[in-house]
Amino acid sequence: MDQAAQQIALTPKDFKSALKPVWCPGCGDFAVLNAITKALAFMGLPREEVALISGIGCSSRIAAYTSVYGFHGVHGRALALASGLKAARGDLTVLVAGGDGDGLSIGGNHFIHACRRNMDMTYIIMDNEVYGMTKGQASPTTAPDWADSKLTPHGTGIRPFQPAGLALTAGASFIARGFTGDPNGLAKILVAAIGHKGFSFVQALSPCPTFRPEQMLWKHHVKAFDQEISSNPVEAAQRIQADDGMSTGIIYQNERPVFRPGTGVDNGMGSIESEFTI
Amino acid sequence: MSLAEKISDLDTFLTYSVVLEEEAADRHDELADMMEVHNNPEVAATFRKLAHYSRLHAREIRDRSSGRSLRVIAPWDFEWEGMEGPETGDISDVNYLMSTGHALKIAMGNEQRAHDFYFEISKGSPDPAVRALAAEFAEEEKEHLELLEKWLEKHPESDEDMRWDPDPAHMPE
Ligand SMILES: Cc1ncc(C[n+]2csc(CCOP(=O)(O)OP(=O)(O)O)c2C)c(N)n1
Ligand code: SF4
């Protein structure tokens, strides 16, 4: 409760835009939006000092539904855009969000390098183990035997990625998993992730009732990790490997040098504007 | 120690009550928005009406709290029995083809849980003033439940009657 004293005048609703989400009723992405807005309100961040960058997909629409600066970008390129923004405007709190397809298929290369680079930003993968926007194809987190898409009538037969494990190997300095069925728990994780100095990765298990209706049962399987946050990558790796992917909480946190391109150089707007002076 | 035992002063109780009602109102509005966007105007109107009632109740509690210092509690530090406040409907319980009857049943579940929350506190709080106010709120929730029961009688249709969409999102071949 002590931390709560930081609370300020802006409410979570103030961090929402006037646009009504077009997500299917029941979609987990609504809860991610609620968790982000609760986290930002709790942290008392001025809206003009926050930017939310996304790629393409149902989940990536989230940028339009908040009242902070946003950029609904190019498929798989949210992290590239966000890195550019952070390089130019290191003072901004940069959040990045998108789906498992956006971040782990087409954007997979950007993901591992963003982890490695360790720029100070928070990346949320809204993981529904499917491409929702394009009507239900398998993604890199889909189980190999999921056969409900006509593109993969017998399943993909391919082992899925473990996003947390991938992030750890690639060098992310903060790794957590949350669940949309517990939006307040997810908001708490986001507060820690945003507060972390470096690249923080949050996998938000976010069911897609339309193409993966069976995910509505996740709420009966998700549980909290029973161990404390680890700063030891070997321990964290063991923890991720031993888990069924349904445990939530902060898995790993370890401060390491943050990549700040242009540090020491005047990156203020003045110098950018002067380049355009004729 | 149970939550009822921990709610040992009026300020804490009123804080819980205000948040319970305001979050319920916000969720009802959120569900109404979802239904509006997905062209289910009847259910949208039902959720909107429920949001209105929750907001009235929240305002009433805010008025009763005037002059008191409500606590500042982080959303995750509320010790609700479930993942969210007892009157906050679960987002995952809705579908764009749902019926008004289904929406009312969700609302009844919310009111029942809110009643149980207040009732527990009316029995278990160490503070007599908290117990008295909680008993009053529990009684009000019971009245809401009765009103909803009457409302539901006018909506015997089930979701099955609604489950037809000539152009569904999901059409596996
Ligand atoms: C360059 C490019 N390739 C493919 C697409 C088609 N496309 C749009 S969204 C999407 C995948 C969405 O899946 P995911 O990122 O998991 O998000 P979800 O919709 O499930 O939230 C694809 C393949 C595109 N828009 N641009
Ligand atoms: S298709 Fe799935 S992911 Fe997309 S909005 Fe609908 S429920 Fe959400």
Side-chain angles (χ1 to χ4, degrees):
Chain A
M1 267 191 218
D2 294 350
Q3 239 191 329
Q6 296 168 12
Q7 255 195 354
I8 38 71
L10 288 182
T11 67
K13 252 197 207 163
D14 296 320
F15 284 92
K16 287 192 179 176
S17 73
L19 280 181
K20 291 177 188 169
V22 296
W23 292 317
C24 308
C27 177
D29 295 352
F30 283 98
V32 177
L33 177 64
N34 288 338
I36 290 176
T37 55
K38 277 188 178 182
L40 294 175
F42 176 79
M43 296 179 86
L45 293 170
R47 285 177 289 197
E48 64 278 13
E49 290 177 15
V50 182
L52 174 51
I53 314 300
S54 65
I56 295 292
C58 299
S59 41
S60 289
R61 303 187 77 106
I62 198 163
Y65 304 140
T66 70
S67 60
V68 299
Y69 283 121
F71 197 117
H72 189 176
V74 189
H75 197 28
R77 272 45 180 176
L79 283 166
L81 284 160
S83 303
L85 176 65
K86 190 70 189 178
R89 288 288 307 274
D91 56 314
L92 290 180
T93 296
V94 176
L95 309 182
V96 194
D100 38 293
D102 190 73
L104 299 169
S105 292
I106 190 167
N109 202 23
H110 288 289
F111 176 56
I112 52 176
H113 287 282
C115 294
R116 181 172 78 97
R117 226 175 271 127
N118 199 37
M119 285 176 86
D120 187 14
M121 61 179 72
T122 297
Y123 183 38
I124 307 158
I125 284 193
M126 297 148 83
D127 191 357
N128 54 15
E129 300 178 0
V130 76
Y131 292 178
M133 179 166 265
T134 46
K135 287 181 171 258
Q137 299 79 26
S139 88
T141 54
T142 306
D145 58 351
W146 181 70
D148 288 0
S149 163
K150 55 185 173 174
L151 278 187
T152 49
H154 308 293
T156 64
I158 305 170
R159 188 178 181 273
F161 274 146
Q162 286 181 332
L166 192 57
L168 183 72
T169 318
S173 50
F174 179 108
I175 300 165
R177 190 184 296 127
F179 174 49
T180 55
D182 177 13
N184 292 325
L186 182 58
K188 185 178 183 181
I189 288 174
L190 289 176
V191 168
I194 297 167
H196 173 77
K197 290 277 160 265
F199 187 81
S200 48
F201 170 61
V202 179
Q203 178 193 9
L205 302 172
S206 180
C208 169
T210 301
F211 296 106
R212 303 296 309 264
E214 70 279 14
Q215 292 174 346
M216 302 319 269
L217 297 176
W218 275 358
K219 58 183 165 196
H220 304 300
H221 303 302
V222 170
K223 67 242 173 251
F225 270 115
D226 53 10
Q227 288 143 301
E228 291 297 300
I229 306 169
S230 176
S231 59
N232 177 339
V234 176
E235 203 176 84
Q238 283 168 342
R239 207 166 146 189
I240 293 165
Q241 291 295 335
D243 184 54
D244 63 357
M246 288 278 131
S247 300
T248 58
I250 301 172
I251 302 166
Y252 174 74
Q253 184 170 19
N254 197 1
E255 301 270 337
R256 67 180 183 84
V258 174
F259 181 56
R260 286 192 194 88
T263 307
V265 181
D266 171 19
N267 273 338
M269 284 309 287
S271 64
I272 296 173
E273 277 163 15
S274 68
E275 287 180 32
F276 292 90
T277 312
I278 303 166
Chain B
M1 197 193 272
S2 72
L3 177 61
E5 287 166 304
K6 284 187 205 167
I7 297 191
S8 57
D9 62 276
L10 264 183
D11 288 344
T12 306
F13 175 66
L14 287 166
T15 306
Y16 265 81
S17 309
V18 164
V19 170
L20 182 154
E21 300 294 343
E22 287 182 348
E23 289 203 350
D26 289 348
R27 179 56 47 82
H28 282 138
D29 269 332
E30 205 176 4
L31 298 177
D33 287 348
M34 290 180 199
M35 296 302 148
E36 258 169 37
V37 169
H38 287 80
N39 197 24
N40 189 339
E42 190 182 313
V43 176
T46 305
F47 279 129
R48 198 69 75 199
K49 218 182 264 182
L50 291 164
H52 171 71
Y53 293 135
S54 302
R55 226 170 276 295
L56 284 181
H57 201 196
R59 201 164 308 142
E60 185 196 316
I61 301 174
R62 277 237 178 245
D63 289 346
R64 294 179 81 146
S65 316
S66 77
R68 308 196 67 92
S69 47
L70 292 184
R71 306 253 179 257
V72 180
I73 302 176
W76 45 90
D77 284 334
F78 283 90
E79 296 183 42
W80 307 118
E81 203 173 303
M83 295 297 187
E84 297 183 89
E87 210 175 300
T88 305
D90 184 345
I91 285 180
S92 68
D93 280 347
V94 300
N95 182 285
Y96 74 110
L97 293 173
M98 73 194 288
S99 62
T100 301
H102 183 171
L104 291 171
K105 280 181 198 146
I106 289 177
M108 286 172 70
N110 298 343
E111 297 293 337
Q112 182 65 57
R113 284 191 303 277
H115 166 272
D116 297 349
F117 169 80
Y118 289 128
F119 185 76
E120 288 296 318
I121 294 169
S122 77
K123 296 288 166 213
S125 169
D127 181 341
V130 170
R131 287 203 301 273
L133 195 54
E136 198 184 304
F137 288 177
E139 201 49 45
E140 278 180 30
E141 297 297 347
K142 214 160 114 190
E143 284 164 21
H144 298 165
L145 206 49
E146 284 159 11
L147 288 171
L148 284 171
E149 256 163 33
K150 289 211 181 86
W151 191 356
L152 183 64
E153 280 166 22
K154 293 186 205 143
H155 291 279
E157 74 277 5
S158 75
D159 280 12
E160 293 313 310
D161 306 321
M162 305 282 295
R163 294 228 186 268
W164 184 75
D165 181 346
D167 182 24
H170 190 199
M171 277 196 295
E173 285 169 3

mmCIF file of all heavy atoms in Angstrom, chain A residues 196-221:
data_model
loop_
_atom_site.group_PDB
_atom_site.id
_atom_site.type_symbol
_atom_site.label_atom_id
_atom_site.label_comp_id
_atom_site.label_asym_id
_atom_site.label_seq_id
_atom_site.Cartn_x
_atom_site.Cartn_y
_atom_site.Cartn_z
ATOM 1 N N HIS A 196 11.536 -1.095 -14.680
ATOM 2 C CA HIS A 196 12.841 -1.741 -14.889
ATOM 3 C C HIS A 196 13.674 -0.947 -15.900
ATOM 4 O O HIS A 196 13.172 -0.516 -16.924
ATOM 5 C CB HIS A 196 12.621 -3.167 -15.396
ATOM 6 C CG HIS A 196 13.869 -3.866 -15.812
ATOM 7 N ND1 HIS A 196 14.753 -4.402 -14.898
ATOM 8 C CD2 HIS A 196 14.396 -4.102 -17.044
ATOM 9 C CE1 HIS A 196 15.772 -4.936 -15.551
ATOM 10 N NE2 HIS A 196 15.580 -4.773 -16.854
ATOM 11 N N LYS A 197 14.931 -0.789 -15.609
ATOM 12 C CA LYS A 197 15.825 -0.088 -16.533
ATOM 13 C C LYS A 197 16.442 -1.102 -17.488
ATOM 14 O O LYS A 197 17.316 -1.878 -17.102
ATOM 15 C CB LYS A 197 16.948 0.628 -15.763
ATOM 16 C CG LYS A 197 16.449 1.810 -14.969
ATOM 17 C CD LYS A 197 16.323 3.055 -15.843
ATOM 18 C CE LYS A 197 15.399 4.092 -15.248
ATOM 19 N NZ LYS A 197 13.990 4.055 -15.725
ATOM 20 N N GLY A 198 15.941 -1.105 -18.700
ATOM 21 C CA GLY A 198 16.422 -2.051 -19.696
ATOM 22 C C GLY A 198 15.232 -2.632 -20.440
ATOM 23 O O GLY A 198 14.105 -2.141 -20.313
ATOM 24 N N PHE A 199 15.488 -3.687 -21.221
ATOM 25 C CA PHE A 199 14.424 -4.275 -22.026
ATOM 26 C C PHE A 199 13.606 -5.233 -21.167
ATOM 27 O O PHE A 199 14.107 -6.262 -20.708
ATOM 28 C CB PHE A 199 15.029 -5.026 -23.218
ATOM 29 C CG PHE A 199 14.002 -5.513 -24.199
ATOM 30 C CD1 PHE A 199 13.472 -4.650 -25.163
ATOM 31 C CD2 PHE A 199 13.539 -6.821 -24.166
ATOM 32 C CE1 PHE A 199 12.521 -5.091 -26.073
ATOM 33 C CE2 PHE A 199 12.588 -7.270 -25.071
ATOM 34 C CZ PHE A 199 12.077 -6.408 -26.020
ATOM 35 N N SER A 200 12.352 -4.887 -20.945
ATOM 36 C CA SER A 200 11.497 -5.769 -20.145
ATOM 37 C C SER A 200 10.492 -6.430 -21.070
ATOM 38 O O SER A 200 9.848 -5.771 -21.891
ATOM 39 C CB SER A 200 10.803 -4.992 -19.036
ATOM 40 O OG SER A 200 10.216 -3.810 -19.508
ATOM 41 N N PHE A 201 10.386 -7.728 -20.915
ATOM 42 C CA PHE A 201 9.494 -8.502 -21.770
ATOM 43 C C PHE A 201 8.383 -9.128 -20.935
ATOM 44 O O PHE A 201 8.646 -9.804 -19.935
ATOM 45 C CB PHE A 201 10.292 -9.614 -22.492
ATOM 46 C CG PHE A 201 9.392 -10.598 -23.193
ATOM 47 C CD1 PHE A 201 8.540 -10.174 -24.210
ATOM 48 C CD2 PHE A 201 9.372 -11.935 -22.830
ATOM 49 C CE1 PHE A 201 7.683 -11.070 -24.840
ATOM 50 C CE2 PHE A 201 8.532 -12.842 -23.468
ATOM 51 C CZ PHE A 201 7.688 -12.404 -24.477
ATOM 52 N N VAL A 202 7.142 -8.871 -21.353
ATOM 53 C CA VAL A 202 5.994 -9.444 -20.639
ATOM 54 C C VAL A 202 5.150 -10.240 -21.634
ATOM 55 O O VAL A 202 4.638 -9.686 -22.612
ATOM 56 C CB VAL A 202 5.123 -8.344 -19.981
ATOM 57 C CG1 VAL A 202 3.932 -8.968 -19.259
ATOM 58 C CG2 VAL A 202 5.945 -7.489 -19.025
ATOM 59 N N GLN A 203 5.035 -11.520 -21.383
ATOM 60 C CA GLN A 203 4.149 -12.355 -22.198
ATOM 61 C C GLN A 203 2.788 -12.354 -21.497
ATOM 62 O O GLN A 203 2.679 -12.805 -20.356
ATOM 63 C CB GLN A 203 4.715 -13.784 -22.262
ATOM 64 C CG GLN A 203 3.844 -14.757 -23.049
ATOM 65 C CD GLN A 203 4.267 -16.209 -22.836
ATOM 66 O OE1 GLN A 203 5.103 -16.524 -21.976
ATOM 67 N NE2 GLN A 203 3.679 -17.113 -23.611
ATOM 68 N N ALA A 204 1.783 -11.803 -22.179
ATOM 69 C CA ALA A 204 0.444 -11.776 -21.577
ATOM 70 C C ALA A 204 -0.407 -12.855 -22.243
ATOM 71 O O ALA A 204 -0.704 -12.760 -23.437
ATOM 72 C CB ALA A 204 -0.186 -10.404 -21.770
ATOM 73 N N LEU A 205 -0.743 -13.881 -21.499
ATOM 74 C CA LEU A 205 -1.603 -14.934 -22.054
ATOM 75 C C LEU A 205 -2.976 -14.315 -22.263
ATOM 76 O O LEU A 205 -3.629 -13.895 -21.301
ATOM 77 C CB LEU A 205 -1.695 -16.117 -21.078
ATOM 78 C CG LEU A 205 -0.366 -16.775 -20.696
ATOM 79 C CD1 LEU A 205 -0.561 -17.795 -19.579
ATOM 80 C CD2 LEU A 205 0.277 -17.441 -21.914
ATOM 81 N N SER A 206 -3.399 -14.210 -23.527
ATOM 82 C CA SER A 206 -4.599 -13.441 -23.843
ATOM 83 C C SER A 206 -5.506 -14.243 -24.781
ATOM 84 O O SER A 206 -5.299 -14.245 -26.002
ATOM 85 C CB SER A 206 -4.160 -12.115 -24.507
ATOM 86 O OG SER A 206 -5.272 -11.337 -24.832
ATOM 87 N N PRO A 207 -6.488 -14.945 -24.236
ATOM 88 C CA PRO A 207 -7.295 -15.856 -25.056
ATOM 89 C C PRO A 207 -8.015 -15.189 -26.225
ATOM 90 O O PRO A 207 -8.450 -14.046 -26.134
ATOM 91 C CB PRO A 207 -8.339 -16.395 -24.061
ATOM 92 C CG PRO A 207 -7.766 -16.175 -22.713
ATOM 93 C CD PRO A 207 -6.907 -14.955 -22.822
ATOM 94 N N CYS A 208 -8.128 -15.959 -27.300
ATOM 95 C CA CYS A 208 -8.891 -15.539 -28.490
ATOM 96 C C CYS A 208 -10.144 -16.415 -28.536
ATOM 97 O O CYS A 208 -10.089 -17.546 -29.020
ATOM 98 C CB CYS A 208 -8.043 -15.762 -29.739
ATOM 99 S SG CYS A 208 -8.978 -15.595 -31.287
ATOM 100 N N PRO A 209 -11.263 -15.917 -28.017
ATOM 101 C CA PRO A 209 -12.466 -16.765 -27.971
ATOM 102 C C PRO A 209 -12.992 -17.134 -29.348
ATOM 103 O O PRO A 209 -13.698 -18.126 -29.495
ATOM 104 C CB PRO A 209 -13.482 -15.916 -27.203
ATOM 105 C CG PRO A 209 -12.973 -14.523 -27.234
ATOM 106 C CD PRO A 209 -11.484 -14.602 -27.396
ATOM 107 N N THR A 210 -12.626 -16.361 -30.378
ATOM 108 C CA THR A 210 -13.181 -16.623 -31.708
ATOM 109 C C THR A 210 -12.472 -17.791 -32.407
ATOM 110 O O THR A 210 -13.114 -18.690 -32.919
ATOM 111 C CB THR A 210 -13.099 -15.343 -32.562
ATOM 112 O OG1 THR A 210 -13.843 -14.340 -31.888
ATOM 113 C CG2 THR A 210 -13.674 -15.561 -33.951
ATOM 114 N N PHE A 211 -11.147 -17.762 -32.406
ATOM 115 C CA PHE A 211 -10.437 -18.817 -33.136
ATOM 116 C C PHE A 211 -9.838 -19.883 -32.223
ATOM 117 O O PHE A 211 -9.431 -20.936 -32.700
ATOM 118 C CB PHE A 211 -9.355 -18.192 -34.034
ATOM 119 C CG PHE A 211 -9.965 -17.324 -35.087
ATOM 120 C CD1 PHE A 211 -9.895 -15.946 -35.010
ATOM 121 C CD2 PHE A 211 -10.690 -17.891 -36.128
ATOM 122 C CE1 PHE A 211 -10.500 -15.143 -35.959
ATOM 123 C CE2 PHE A 211 -11.311 -17.099 -37.087
ATOM 124 C CZ PHE A 211 -11.224 -15.719 -36.998
ATOM 125 N N ARG A 212 -9.749 -19.590 -30.945
ATOM 126 C CA ARG A 212 -9.242 -20.578 -29.997
ATOM 127 C C ARG A 212 -10.194 -20.640 -28.790
ATOM 128 O O ARG A 212 -9.785 -20.347 -27.650
ATOM 129 C CB ARG A 212 -7.832 -20.208 -29.515
ATOM 130 C CG ARG A 212 -6.765 -20.029 -30.586
ATOM 131 C CD ARG A 212 -6.468 -21.310 -31.369
ATOM 132 N NE ARG A 212 -6.186 -22.447 -30.520
ATOM 133 C CZ ARG A 212 -4.970 -22.869 -30.181
ATOM 134 N NH1 ARG A 212 -3.921 -22.257 -30.647
ATOM 135 N NH2 ARG A 212 -4.821 -23.934 -29.413
ATOM 136 N N PRO A 213 -11.475 -20.998 -29.026
ATOM 137 C CA PRO A 213 -12.437 -20.965 -27.909
ATOM 138 C C PRO A 213 -12.007 -21.813 -26.714
ATOM 139 O O PRO A 213 -12.375 -21.523 -25.571
ATOM 140 C CB PRO A 213 -13.745 -21.468 -28.532
ATOM 141 C CG PRO A 213 -13.379 -22.053 -29.853
ATOM 142 C CD PRO A 213 -12.098 -21.434 -30.277
ATOM 143 N N GLU A 214 -11.199 -22.844 -26.999
ATOM 144 C CA GLU A 214 -10.748 -23.711 -25.899
ATOM 145 C C GLU A 214 -9.874 -22.944 -24.894
ATOM 146 O O GLU A 214 -9.707 -23.367 -23.749
ATOM 147 C CB GLU A 214 -10.014 -24.938 -26.454
ATOM 148 C CG GLU A 214 -8.642 -24.678 -27.086
ATOM 149 C CD GLU A 214 -8.695 -24.156 -28.532
ATOM 150 O OE1 GLU A 214 -9.779 -23.739 -28.990
ATOM 151 O OE2 GLU A 214 -7.633 -24.147 -29.188
ATOM 152 N N GLN A 215 -9.342 -21.793 -25.324
ATOM 153 C CA GLN A 215 -8.501 -20.998 -24.405
ATOM 154 C C GLN A 215 -9.325 -20.371 -23.282
ATOM 155 O O GLN A 215 -8.759 -19.852 -22.320
ATOM 156 C CB GLN A 215 -7.755 -19.903 -25.180
ATOM 157 C CG GLN A 215 -6.699 -20.463 -26.112
ATOM 158 C CD GLN A 215 -6.048 -19.399 -26.988
ATOM 159 O OE1 GLN A 215 -6.551 -18.282 -27.100
ATOM 160 N NE2 GLN A 215 -4.944 -19.748 -27.618
ATOM 161 N N MET A 216 -10.659 -20.422 -23.434
ATOM 162 C CA MET A 216 -11.481 -19.873 -22.355
ATOM 163 C C MET A 216 -11.310 -20.714 -21.090
ATOM 164 O O MET A 216 -11.703 -20.301 -20.004
ATOM 165 C CB MET A 216 -12.964 -19.795 -22.764
ATOM 166 C CG MET A 216 -13.196 -18.962 -24.017
ATOM 167 S SD MET A 216 -12.205 -17.465 -24.088
ATOM 168 C CE MET A 216 -13.298 -16.311 -23.310
ATOM 169 N N LEU A 217 -10.715 -21.899 -21.244
ATOM 170 C CA LEU A 217 -10.466 -22.750 -20.067
ATOM 171 C C LEU A 217 -9.147 -22.412 -19.391
ATOM 172 O O LEU A 217 -8.835 -22.945 -18.328
ATOM 173 C CB LEU A 217 -10.463 -24.232 -20.482
ATOM 174 C CG LEU A 217 -11.788 -24.759 -21.048
ATOM 175 C CD1 LEU A 217 -11.632 -26.203 -21.514
ATOM 176 C CD2 LEU A 217 -12.892 -24.665 -20.001
ATOM 177 N N TRP A 218 -8.363 -21.520 -19.999
ATOM 178 C CA TRP A 218 -7.065 -21.171 -19.403
ATOM 179 C C TRP A 218 -7.228 -20.723 -17.957
ATOM 180 O O TRP A 218 -6.370 -20.950 -17.122
ATOM 181 C CB TRP A 218 -6.394 -20.046 -20.217
ATOM 182 C CG TRP A 218 -5.618 -20.536 -21.399
ATOM 183 C CD1 TRP A 218 -5.427 -21.840 -21.781
ATOM 184 C CD2 TRP A 218 -4.930 -19.720 -22.367
ATOM 185 N NE1 TRP A 218 -4.673 -21.868 -22.939
ATOM 186 C CE2 TRP A 218 -4.352 -20.600 -23.309
ATOM 187 C CE3 TRP A 218 -4.746 -18.352 -22.532
ATOM 188 C CZ2 TRP A 218 -3.593 -20.142 -24.389
ATOM 189 C CZ3 TRP A 218 -3.999 -17.896 -23.604
ATOM 190 C CH2 TRP A 218 -3.432 -18.781 -24.520
ATOM 191 N N LYS A 219 -8.352 -20.053 -17.682
ATOM 192 C CA LYS A 219 -8.509 -19.509 -16.324
ATOM 193 C C LYS A 219 -8.488 -20.612 -15.263
ATOM 194 O O LYS A 219 -8.246 -20.341 -14.095
ATOM 195 C CB LYS A 219 -9.762 -18.650 -16.210
ATOM 196 C CG LYS A 219 -11.066 -19.286 -16.545
ATOM 197 C CD LYS A 219 -12.167 -18.217 -16.436
ATOM 198 C CE LYS A 219 -13.444 -18.677 -17.099
ATOM 199 N NZ LYS A 219 -14.372 -17.599 -17.353
ATOM 200 N N HIS A 220 -8.727 -21.852 -15.693
ATOM 201 C CA HIS A 220 -8.678 -22.947 -14.717
ATOM 202 C C HIS A 220 -7.264 -23.542 -14.606
ATOM 203 O O HIS A 220 -7.016 -24.358 -13.720
ATOM 204 C CB HIS A 220 -9.674 -24.047 -15.107
ATOM 205 C CG HIS A 220 -11.070 -23.532 -15.259
ATOM 206 N ND1 HIS A 220 -11.753 -22.935 -14.220
ATOM 207 C CD2 HIS A 220 -11.893 -23.481 -16.334
ATOM 208 C CE1 HIS A 220 -12.944 -22.550 -14.657
ATOM 209 N NE2 HIS A 220 -13.051 -22.864 -15.932
ATOM 210 N N HIS A 221 -6.392 -23.181 -15.521
ATOM 211 C CA HIS A 221 -5.047 -23.789 -15.511
ATOM 212 C C HIS A 221 -3.948 -22.831 -15.060
ATOM 213 O O HIS A 221 -2.897 -23.270 -14.608
ATOM 214 C CB HIS A 221 -4.688 -24.312 -16.909
ATOM 215 C CG HIS A 221 -5.682 -25.294 -17.432
ATOM 216 N ND1 HIS A 221 -5.980 -26.459 -16.761
ATOM 217 C CD2 HIS A 221 -6.481 -25.274 -18.529
ATOM 218 C CE1 HIS A 221 -6.908 -27.122 -17.443
ATOM 219 N NE2 HIS A 221 -7.235 -26.422 -18.505
#
